Amino acid sequence: MQLAEAVALLARHQYDDAWGLWLISKEAADRLAEFEPCDMVLLLEAVAGMCVADDALCRGVAEAVAAKRGAYSAAQLAEVGSALQRMGYAGEVDTWQKKTILGVAITYILLTVILPFINVFIQAFAKHLCPFLEAAFAKGLGPFLEAVMEHDFIHATKLTLMLAAITVPLNTLFGTVAAILITRNEFPGKVLLLSLLDLPFSISPVVTGLMLMLLYGRAGWFATALADGGLKVVFAFSGMLLATLFVTLPFIVRELIPTLEQMDLAQEEAARSLGANPLQVFWHVTLPNIRWGLLYGVILTNARAMGEFGAVSVISGNIIGRTQTLTLFVESAYKEYNMPFTVVHLGRHPKPKDLIGKAMYALGGMMRGLGTALDSIGVVVQGPYARHDHLVPNTAWMPFEANADIKPAAGAQQQVPFNPRLRESPALDIVAPLKKGSAGFVAPNAKVIGNVSLGSQVSIWYGAVLRGDINAITVGDKTNIQDNVVVHVARHSLTSAPAGGPKPTVIGSAVTIGHGATLHACTIGDGCLVGMGATLLDGVVLEPGSIVGAGAVVPPGAVVKSGEIWAGAPAKLLRKLSAEEKGFVAASADNYAKLATEHRIENGKLFEEVFLDAAIAEEREWRSLTDIDLHMGIARDDQTQLPTNWTEKYIKEVPVSLLRPGVDTEDTIRAKFEKVIRDAQDSICAAISEIDGKPFHQDAWTREDGGGGITRVLADGNVWEKAGVNVSVVYGSMPPEAYRAATGTAPADLEKAKAAGGRVPFFAAGISSVMHPRNPHCPTMHFNYRFFQTEDWNGIPGQWWFGGGTDITPCYVVEEDLKHFHGTYKAVCDRHDPAYFPKFKKWCDEYFLIGHRKETRGLGGIFFDDLNDRPAEEILAFSKDAVNHVVEAYCPIVKKHMNDSFTEEQKQWQQIRRGRYVEFNLVYDRGTTFGLKTGGRIESILMSMPLTSRWEYCHEPAAGTPEAEFMDAARHPRNWV
């Protein structure tokens, strides 16, 4: 049959004979191989013009064209393809262009999505796949399981799922309704509405978070309304939900609008004409037509909700364990380098020389350039020309060459194995801490690796890298290394090094290294300054008191003399230093040392403390001194501006005695006890200052009622975060409630005396001390010795008694230390009464019990109170002996442990135990409650509180840990001697 005959038959055929029409088209389809492209187009148009949709015919045409693709031109192929599309055929004519584009797309997806995804699982699970992959793929399943079982990870997962579970349904409902309303209606402002819906696409997520902060923060528009309603948006789940809803708003509506615009409205109109309500129309007509667009929008919304970073990071505060989503958790773990991250160093020699080698090397570099997830695969492709290190990435790291003949110096301090071929990663898990007792600062993201020695008051600022894995690095006191400085990672020619191996880098004291400088194998004397971006190469020597200008490149082996400034590239002598410039270098070192101390303190604070500091500062800004005085009821002297109506008045010089002159003479118990406690204060403070290296600050004060006190505090020391030794000698009168607190009991006639009115006259003298060390391996120590006496009052005879004791509060159980401490006080007690120690030790365990937790504050000591069962002189002698053995019992333990290394987890445990210390002092301690009720000096009363503390919800240490051993000792007091 000729094509013309087939077309004529089809044209003459009547529509009521569909069977005959099908037979003709079927016969034509069987002979398609004989047709030219133009004939096929005519056949397709004839069939289409008679309203016949024959998929078999269309498919046959497509297959016939594909079989003879080489005989057709591109224009002919395009003509057939258009005819097939007019027939409604979904397939396309297969061309080499289509296959090329498809191949490029698949390759791109493979490199950017599939391979990185597979690589993650390989690095997490695979072991020993093959020898050349083992270095990159040997993590194992253990680290993955350990990571996903962490409390913070589980909390982040729950929070992420909650956000997605709320965001996706809400935006699905909103997007569907909005899309239907926009496509089915015309109204003023439609274009503006569409633009507003696209707003989340055009605004940075970080700006979105900032916008929410400005609206709902403490200084925002809605701050007052939120505070009145007790609602919180910033740093809370509600704020994170708002941010997620905003950034995911457009996805569904933008997917549905094109689908709804292309949809034929006839079906919806037919359904309405048959009486269907809007919901039935949507469910049975609209939804089936838009279901794939809706599903795609839901997938995009869920992906963005679970993966949102910028806006959620800003509004949530990224608080670990509270407002951290999975995305923020991963980012935080990456910054803390809790997960492996690879950085590759490419050796300058050898390099690939053959064409294939160069091609493979370039291909590996391209793969690694696509992203860090492909880094390991790039290493494998580059083969022996790449080096794999588990180190923190830093763009300033530069390549270096290796010499197999170079060996480390004999007897040299070598923290990591020296591998001359550099084919394996060195074990860089040794990080040099600051010297104990140093007030220095190492920024959280600075990296100090390997054989590095840091002096006191050193500051290593943000992004700086000190690599001691190749050569040793020594940094002197009060030296500051500023942001992004790199030491030991510039080019270093091991081939030119002496036989002893590469030279160390030695940086002296009071040196300032400017931002972005690069140092290698050089020596810098005291009091030098290296400008920003300067480079000091191998063998450079800066003599003391010299300067290298910004951006200078000092060539290898150059010597910069004292008092000279070098600049340029290569650097040369510019001029001599002026006296003003020499003073600037010294002042710079001092200023950075002070700044480092402030940063160290601020970085050690918890989030809540920083937030509280900000709130206090904000309040002080609007409150003038006059406002504060009016609020506190303070009157000031017009000339000196010192308070005139405080209970305590500060005095410059401490009198010989704080007793009332002419009343209490030297032969009284009061005078003798005052001498004991003042002598003890002097000797104990001297011993503590000698260990810490920092003096106590002293305040002396008197009271209008008589007496006074001497407060000595050592704050932010090298060994102790806070230590105080207070002496007070006080006369006064107290309400009956304070009398009950001071005695611990109430006489039978106390209620009768209270009815008679008046206050109880008293005398109280004592010495008290609490010392909170920095190192969690050093124990906190407390002692208190006091003498108390009341006058006759409303028929109640006067009373006197002694009280006091010394107790220790470690964070960990070290039996040797506890035997020494308890043994010292057992010897003291035995000299006066063998019954004292077992009695006072048991009394101590019972007194320092935190009743609501059923655990003791510490691990015991001695404690006694209301002691008046023998002559006062005997008890005075015992108290004197006990207070004079504080140094012997405590200081050797601190000296033993003050330089012990500790982890962040151990520091957090110390903070938790300090929280228990605060609980006891504020709830149970009789001295604290007595001082507060008698109007005592608040600063002295609360001196015992630690500088920082921590509370965690339902915290319980894991079984078998040192922390669990301590809890067992606190819940079941032991006899240590």
Side-chain angles (χ1 to χ4, degrees):
M1 178 184 294
Q2 299 295 319
L3 175 62
E5 296 175 341
V7 171
L9 290 173
L10 289 172
R12 291 195 304 270
H13 204 278
Q14 300 300 316
Y15 291 107
D16 55 355
D17 190 358
W19 177 254
L21 180 60
W22 180 82
L23 288 176
I24 294 174
S25 63
K26 179 69 170 59
E27 183 176 354
D30 292 339
R31 301 176 60 186
L32 285 175
E34 303 173 5
F35 294 173
E36 296 296 327
C38 57
D39 296 333
M40 293 182 181
V41 172
L42 290 174
L43 177 61
L44 292 172
E45 290 180 347
V47 174
M50 300 176 69
C51 299
V52 176
D54 194 334
D55 287 343
L57 178 63
C58 293
R59 185 165 53 255
V61 170
E63 292 173 353
V65 172
K68 300 174 64 177
R69 181 171 53 244
Y72 301 145
S73 66
Q76 290 174 328
L77 292 174
E79 187 176 7
V80 175
S82 299
L84 289 171
Q85 288 182 346
R86 289 193 297 272
M87 284 285 290
Y89 181 61
E92 296 180 2
V93 178
D94 196 8
T95 65
W96 69 269
Q97 294 96 331
K98 172 187 173 183
K99 288 191 174 182
T100 301
I101 295 173
L102 184 62
V104 171
I106 292 175
T107 302
Y108 180 80
I109 294 174
L110 181 70
L111 292 177
T112 58
V113 179
I114 298 176
L115 283 180
F117 182 79
I118 295 173
N119 185 43
V120 170
F121 284 90
I122 291 177
Q123 293 208 30
F125 303 131
K127 283 187 177 181
H128 310 293
L129 295 179
C130 55
F132 72 92
L133 289 178
E134 183 175 351
F137 303 147
K139 308 296 186 302
L141 184 61
F144 172 79
L145 295 177
E146 182 180 352
V148 299
M149 294 304 294
E150 289 184 3
H151 172 269
D152 294 337
F153 176 85
I154 295 174
H155 183 275
T157 303
K158 291 180 179 178
L159 197 61
T160 303
L161 294 176
M162 287 174 60
L163 286 172
I166 298 174
T167 300
V168 174
L170 288 179
N171 275 341
T172 300
L173 178 61
F174 169 81
T176 304
V177 174
I180 293 175
L181 291 176
I182 290 172
T183 55
R184 298 295 186 259
N185 298 279
E186 294 294 333
F187 51 87
K190 182 177 179 178
V191 176
L192 177 62
L193 178 59
L194 289 172
S195 301
L196 291 176
L197 289 174
D198 288 338
L199 199 59
F201 286 151
S202 57
I203 295 180
S204 166
V206 175
V207 175
T208 299
L210 178 60
M211 174 185 69
L212 294 174
M213 290 280 289
L214 295 176
L215 285 175
Y216 301 106
R218 290 178 23 215
W221 292 0
F222 306 116
T224 303
L226 291 172
D228 293 342
L231 303 176
K232 188 176 181 181
V233 175
V234 177
F235 307 149
F237 179 80
S238 56
M240 299 168 67
L241 180 60
L242 286 175
T244 308
L245 284 170
F246 180 82
V247 298
T248 59
L249 181 69
F251 288 101
I252 291 178
V253 67
R254 270 306 178 186
E255 287 298 324
L256 291 183
I257 285 177
T259 305
L260 288 168
E261 287 177 344
Q262 294 179 4
M263 178 181 168
D264 187 2
L265 299 180
Q267 297 181 35
E268 291 185 354
E269 293 172 355
R272 292 191 189 95
S273 65
L274 293 174
N277 59 42
L279 182 59
Q280 291 173 325
V281 172
F282 171 78
W283 187 257
H284 295 286
V285 179
T286 308
L287 183 59
N289 286 280
I290 66 171
R291 63 184 184 277
W292 296 117
L294 179 61
L295 177 61
Y296 186 56
V298 168
I299 293 173
L300 290 177
T301 302
N302 183 72
R304 183 62 184 273
M306 298 186 72
E308 172 56 26
F309 177 81
V312 172
S313 177
V314 174
I315 196 66
S316 71
N318 196 4
I319 305 172
I320 298 174
R322 296 188 184 179
T323 62
Q324 200 173 59
T325 62
L326 269 178
T327 310
L328 300 180
F329 177 87
V330 171
E331 190 264 350
S332 177
Y334 169 74
K335 280 189 174 181
E336 295 170 3
Y337 304 101
N338 289 335
M339 55 181 62
F341 187 80
T342 57
V343 174
V344 177
H345 299 269
L346 307 178
R348 296 197 307 142
H349 300 289
K351 281 187 178 179
K353 297 180 176 60
D354 57 283
L355 181 61
I356 297 177
K358 290 181 178 179
M360 294 297 291
Y361 187 84
L363 176 61
M366 292 174 59
M367 293 176 67
R368 293 174 56 200
L370 290 173
T372 56
L374 292 174
D375 192 59
S376 296
I377 300 176
V379 171
V380 174
V381 174
Q382 288 176 325
Y385 309 113
R387 176 171 178 250
H388 206 89
D389 273 347
H390 295 287
L391 292 177
V392 182
N394 190 298
T395 56
W397 290 2
M398 299 172 67
F400 55 83
E401 58 185 287
N403 187 335
D405 299 327
I406 301 299
K407 303 293 182 183
Q413 184 180 6
Q414 195 74 21
Q415 295 281 22
V416 298
F418 185 82
N419 187 341
R421 287 184 172 80
L422 303 178
R423 291 293 302 279
E424 297 178 2
S425 301
L428 300 181
D429 55 354
I430 302 173
V431 178
L434 286 168
K435 290 180 179 178
K436 295 299 180 291
S438 168
F441 169 73
V442 176
N445 66 339
K447 291 300 162 186
V448 182
I449 304 169
N451 189 1
V452 181
S453 173
L454 301 179
S456 63
Q457 294 185 280
V458 164
S459 53
I460 312 296
W461 297 92
Y462 299 90
V465 177
L466 276 69
R467 281 196 53 185
D469 58 309
I470 303 298
N471 311 347
I473 302 175
T474 302
V475 182
D477 298 341
K478 295 180 69 174
T479 286
N480 95 87
I481 298 177
Q482 298 180 358
D483 303 58
N484 299 317
V485 169
V486 179
V487 182
H488 270 350
V489 194
R491 174 187 175 274
H492 64 278
S493 298
L494 298 181
T495 55
S496 62
K503 293 181 179 179
T505 293
V506 179
I507 304 175
S509 300
V511 174
T512 297
I513 311 295
H515 299 256
T518 301
L519 282 67
H520 182 266
C522 57
T523 300
I524 302 177
D526 297 343
C528 291
L529 186 147
V530 178
M532 293 186 295
T535 301
L536 275 60
L537 298 177
D538 306 63
V540 168
V541 176
L542 269 60
E543 294 184 350
S546 58
I547 291 180
V548 172
V553 178
V554 185
V559 178
V560 181
K561 299 291 186 181
S562 296
E564 293 182 350
I565 297 180
W566 282 39
K572 296 180 180 179
L573 174 64
L574 179 65
R575 57 178 172 82
K576 294 289 185 179
L577 277 170
S578 65
E580 181 181 0
E581 289 168 331
K582 292 179 181 178
F584 167 77
V585 176
S588 173
D590 290 336
N591 291 336
Y592 272 100
K594 295 176 182 177
L595 187 63
T597 302
E598 296 175 4
H599 273 255
R600 182 178 55 78
I601 295 172
E602 290 301 314
N603 277 265
K605 291 182 177 180
L606 299 175
F607 175 80
E608 291 83 356
E609 294 176 278
V610 176
F611 202 83
L612 179 60
D613 289 346
I616 294 173
E618 182 179 334
E619 183 175 358
R620 286 176 177 170
E621 287 178 359
W622 64 265
R623 270 196 172 184
S624 65
L625 182 62
T626 304
D627 294 330
I628 296 174
D629 288 350
L630 290 174
H631 178 72
M632 300 295 293
I634 298 173
R636 296 181 182 271
D637 183 89
D638 292 336
Q639 295 182 347
T640 65
Q641 289 299 305
L642 294 174
T644 59
N645 62 339
W646 279 14
T647 302
E648 298 84 25
K649 293 184 179 179
Y650 289 96
I651 54 178
K652 295 183 179 180
E653 295 184 0
V654 182
V656 177
S657 175
L658 295 169
L659 298 172
R660 285 175 176 169
V663 177
D664 297 313
T665 58
E666 294 182 357
D667 58 344
T668 62
I669 292 294
R670 295 181 179 184
K672 293 177 181 180
F673 188 79
E674 186 201 27
K675 186 177 187 310
V676 168
I677 60 178
R678 292 189 62 172
D679 290 344
Q681 185 184 41
D682 292 338
S683 62
I684 293 171
C685 289
I688 296 302
S689 290
E690 182 180 356
I691 297 173
D692 189 275
K694 188 173 181 179
F696 280 75
H697 170 79
Q698 175 175 293
D699 287 329
W701 48 276
T702 60
R703 291 184 52 156
E704 292 180 350
D705 294 333
I710 305 168
T711 299
R712 292 180 183 172
V713 176
L714 190 158
D716 197 28
N718 297 316
V719 178
W720 282 275
E721 285 185 353
K722 185 179 180 183
V725 184
N726 293 345
V727 163
S728 61
V729 176
V730 179
Y731 298 84
S733 60
M734 58 182 175
E737 292 80 9
Y739 181 89
R740 180 194 300 271
T743 62
T745 59
D749 54 352
L750 177 60
E751 296 300 324
K752 177 181 177 181
K754 286 173 57 178
R759 296 167 62 87
V760 184
F762 72 91
F763 168 87
I767 180 172
S768 62
S769 172
V770 174
M771 299 185 184
H772 295 288
R774 294 185 179 280
N775 196 312
H777 297 296
C778 293
T780 293
M781 188 272 300
H782 158 263
F783 69 87
N784 181 302
Y785 294 90
R786 57 194 177 274
F787 173 70
F788 195 91
Q789 190 173 21
T790 64
E791 306 289 346
D792 294 345
W793 171 66
N794 289 340
I796 299 177
Q799 299 186 35
W800 64 266
W801 62 88
F802 288 84
T806 305
D807 62 279
I808 192 169
T809 305
C811 297
Y812 295 94
V813 176
V814 181
E815 290 197 8
E816 181 182 359
D817 298 342
L818 293 168
K819 287 179 179 179
H820 167 78
F821 181 87
H822 287 269
T824 300
Y825 275 99
K826 183 178 187 302
V828 170
C829 292
D830 289 348
R831 283 194 292 270
H832 299 270
D833 188 340
Y836 270 176
F837 183 79
K839 176 182 178 182
F840 293 168
K841 197 271 180 187
K842 183 175 182 294
W843 201 342
C844 180
D845 292 336
E846 293 173 350
Y847 177 80
F848 290 104
L849 177 69
I850 306 174
H852 55 277
R853 293 192 183 272
K854 307 301 181 186
E855 64 188 59
T856 56
R857 185 180 73 176
L859 296 184
I862 63 169
F863 176 84
F864 60 97
D865 208 356
D866 305 332
L867 195 61
N868 58 4
D869 60 345
R870 59 195 71 194
E873 291 285 351
E874 292 183 19
I875 305 177
L876 174 64
F878 168 67
S879 298
K880 178 180 179 180
D881 199 5
V883 74
N884 287 341
H885 278 78
V886 166
V887 173
E888 179 182 336
Y890 178 59
C891 290
I893 301 176
V894 175
K895 290 180 180 179
K896 176 182 175 183
H897 296 291
M898 66 184 189
N899 291 321
D900 289 356
S901 61
F902 57 89
T903 65
E904 182 61 26
E905 291 76 14
Q906 290 171 331
K907 188 65 178 177
Q908 290 182 3
W909 172 247
Q910 181 192 52
Q911 300 293 307
I912 292 173
R913 293 313 306 171
R914 286 181 176 175
R916 302 293 195 267
Y917 206 99
V918 172
E919 290 179 28
F920 176 86
N921 284 19
L922 293 180
V923 178
Y924 298 100
D925 186 69
R926 283 169 54 185
T928 302
T929 57
F930 171 76
L932 295 174
K933 290 184 178 180
T934 57
R937 184 172 183 267
I938 299 301
E939 293 299 324
S940 299
I941 296 169
L942 299 182
M943 181 271 298
S944 63
M945 298 301 171
L947 193 64
T948 59
S949 56
R950 184 184 182 97
W951 282 266
E952 290 189 7
Y953 182 73
C954 290
H955 182 273
E956 187 68 26
T961 61
E963 292 81 5
E965 182 183 10
F966 175 88
M967 291 303 300
D968 180 74
R971 290 166 177 164
H972 307 93
R974 307 175 188 176
N975 292 320
W976 303 102
V977 291

